[in-house]
Amino acid sequence: MNLDHIKNSYLDHIKICIDSDAWGAGLLRSFIDYWFAYHKQGPFLNSNNNPTWHNNPSSVKDKDALLGMHFISDMAFDVIEQGSEVRLIKEHSIPVHVIQKILIQQNPKTIDDIENILLRFYRLGVLTKDEDDILRSKGLNSKMPTSWDLNDNAFSRYEVAGIKGKLINQ
């Protein structure tokens, strides 16, 4: 099984969405999450080389994948290290809807262009449920801060919400 071929097929799907302006509910989220799984491989693929979502992740069972994400809050890191049952949230540091807008604005011509955009803007964060609730209370659960632009920190939602953490894989 050629994993690069599969990874590129998800980039092709994203290109089709851009070219046709037919995004469909949830399609982009699936395509970019699957692209990332095949890009990173390891704990992001199961034994059959199929992507693993890691929604409602376990600090024990999903530890390797959680530690392979881009940002981990200090509280979430403690949960992972202790193997605690505190609920963790895997989330897109730049919300999918914002990534979609970036893709439309950038108007990439090739799948390499799309991949370069994703390599820059697709970031996963690991938070505790309480920290996710803080993002929601500040109205940042699905959007970036109003002053954010493409040159700013991909993790600025966390900064605005006062969530401290570690950048793991950049």
Side-chain angles (χ1 to χ4, degrees), residues 10 26-37 43-46 50-57 62 65-66 69 90-92 122 124:
Y10 286 104
L27 283 178
L28 183 60
R29 174 180 308 275
S30 295
F31 295 159
I32 64 177
D33 284 346
Y34 278 28
W35 163 81
F36 180 76
F44 295 94
L45 299 176
N46 66 22
N50 291 317
T52 303
W53 284 105
H54 301 292
N55 289 339
N56 196 17
D62 299 315
L66 294 171
M69 295 186 191
K90 173 211 85 171
E91 68 117 45
H92 297 91
Y122 182 94
L124 294 177

Side-chain angles (χ1 to χ4, degrees), residues 25-83:
L27 283 178
L28 183 60
R29 174 180 308 275
S30 295
F31 295 159
I32 64 177
D33 284 346
Y34 278 28
W35 163 81
F36 180 76
Y38 286 107
H39 171 73
K40 288 289 278 193
Q41 299 180 18
F44 295 94
L45 299 176
N46 66 22
S47 60
N48 295 322
N49 285 325
N50 291 317
T52 303
W53 284 105
H54 301 292
N55 289 339
N56 196 17
S58 161
S59 64
V60 175
K61 182 177 73 102
D62 299 315
K63 182 177 182 175
D64 290 341
L66 294 171
L67 294 174
M69 295 186 191
H70 303 97
F71 175 93
I72 303 174
S73 75
D74 291 341
M75 290 174 60
F77 190 81
D78 289 344
V79 168
I80 294 166
E81 287 299 302
Q82 296 167 8

Side-chain angles (χ1 to χ4, degrees), residues 91-95 120-123 144-145 148-159 167 170:
E91 68 117 45
H92 297 91
S93 300
I94 297 178
R120 182 170 174 207
F121 295 106
Y122 182 94
R123 297 286 181 264
M144 297 302 284
W148 184 82
D149 71 33
L150 299 181
N151 296 314
D152 289 342
N153 181 354
F155 308 101
S156 64
R157 290 187 310 135
Y158 306 148
E159 290 174 3
L167 299 178
Q170 291 300 302

Side-chain angles (χ1 to χ4, degrees), residues 9-27:
S9 75
Y10 286 104
L11 295 171
D12 285 332
H13 283 77
I14 295 167
K15 180 82 172 99
I16 291 167
C17 290
I18 294 167
D19 292 345
S20 67
D21 196 29
W23 294 90
L27 283 178

